[in-house]
Amino acid sequence: MPGLRYGEEPQPPSPSDAKSVEALLVKVAAGDKSAFTGVYEALARPVMGLACRILQDAAQAEEVTQDVMVEVWRTAGRYRPERGTAKAWVLTLAHHRAVDRVRHVQSAAQREYRVGALIAGREYDEVAEAVEGDDERRRTHRCLDDLAHLYRVPLLLAYYQGMTYREVAESLSAPAGTVKSRMRTGLRLLHNCLEGRS
């Protein structure tokens, strides 16, 4: 965000500025693009400041700021001047969006930890039981290890942990179609590796 450094406190607008922002926001609700420029210039810095304080990460705060300002453009018609200032309304949106981002990041980290613990707790012995002989067992381990993470993990979860496509998709926070596609590709790559093809 130009002119705003991480952790910098934004200056509060004067009462006349606040009234003009409210008037601009009403115009934005009517589809006035030039009015949105004024709203953006007046409120992007305070939104960025709030997001920085909550997220403690300038890059994520910038993303949240952009998301909030897009939301302001799309939902300006929901603003009600009689309920409070435009700044208060926009900062409430920003607060919700930043808190949601924190929760999402924490949830993703917890999911990744759980999946990692599941996989780390199981060796490839279950795969090896299906393959006869030490030589084939070593080749199977090597081929699984050589698979890219995004192909290996869905296969391990589905075939060796007994999860359905939907459970794998939920576990990895990915669409079911994406998971199916990755599993098909992973199986093809595994088969090619075992057959000695690239």
Side-chain angles (χ1 to χ4, degrees):
M1 194 63 50
L4 181 66
R5 292 188 296 271
Y6 178 74
E8 180 182 346
E9 290 292 324
Q11 297 300 313
S14 69
S16 63
D17 288 343
K19 285 184 182 177
S20 67
V21 171
E22 285 151 17
L24 287 171
L25 194 54
V26 170
K27 290 180 181 178
V28 170
D32 186 333
K33 291 180 183 177
S34 62
F36 179 72
T37 302
V39 171
Y40 188 95
E41 288 172 357
L43 298 179
R45 287 174 58 95
V47 168
M48 177 74 171
L50 176 64
C52 279
R53 284 194 298 278
I54 293 171
L55 292 162
Q56 299 295 306
D57 181 288
Q60 287 197 42
E62 283 185 21
E63 287 179 22
V64 165
T65 300
Q66 294 303 319
D67 290 348
V68 168
M69 297 314 292
V70 168
E71 186 176 356
V72 168
W73 168 253
R74 284 190 1 252
T75 65
R78 295 182 191 164
Y79 168 63
R80 296 290 175 264
E82 65 275 9
R83 293 186 185 171
T85 66
K87 182 179 178 183
W89 181 70
V90 172
L91 288 180
T92 300
L93 295 176
H95 183 268
H96 290 307
R97 187 64 68 108
V99 169
D100 284 348
R101 177 67 66 98
V102 169
R103 288 180 183 146
H104 175 74
V105 168
Q106 289 172 343
S107 176
Q110 288 169 353
R111 271 194 309 274
E112 220 170 273
Y113 175 79
R114 284 195 304 269
V115 169
L118 254 177
I119 292 169
R122 296 268 198 147
E123 303 223 359
Y124 294 135
D125 292 347
E126 294 174 36
V127 177
E129 287 172 11
V131 182
E132 293 180 12
D134 288 341
D135 185 49
E136 287 180 315
R137 185 179 295 115
R138 280 192 296 273
R139 282 179 47 227
T140 301
H141 288 192
R142 181 183 55 76
C143 288
L144 280 168
D145 287 338
D146 287 346
L147 281 179
H149 182 77
L150 77 141
Y151 300 124
R152 182 174 64 246
V153 172
L155 289 177
L156 291 172
L157 292 176
Y159 290 101
Y160 310 123
Q161 300 296 328
M163 292 185 180
T164 65
Y165 281 124
R166 179 167 285 144
E167 288 169 338
V168 172
E170 288 172 0
S171 179
L172 299 175
S173 295
T178 300
V179 167
K180 286 181 184 179
S181 173
R182 287 178 183 171
M183 289 176 70
R184 279 194 301 269
T185 302
L187 286 171
R188 181 177 48 77
L189 293 171
L190 184 60
H191 176 74
N192 288 347
C193 179
L194 290 170
E195 293 294 316
R197 295 185 301 226
S198 56

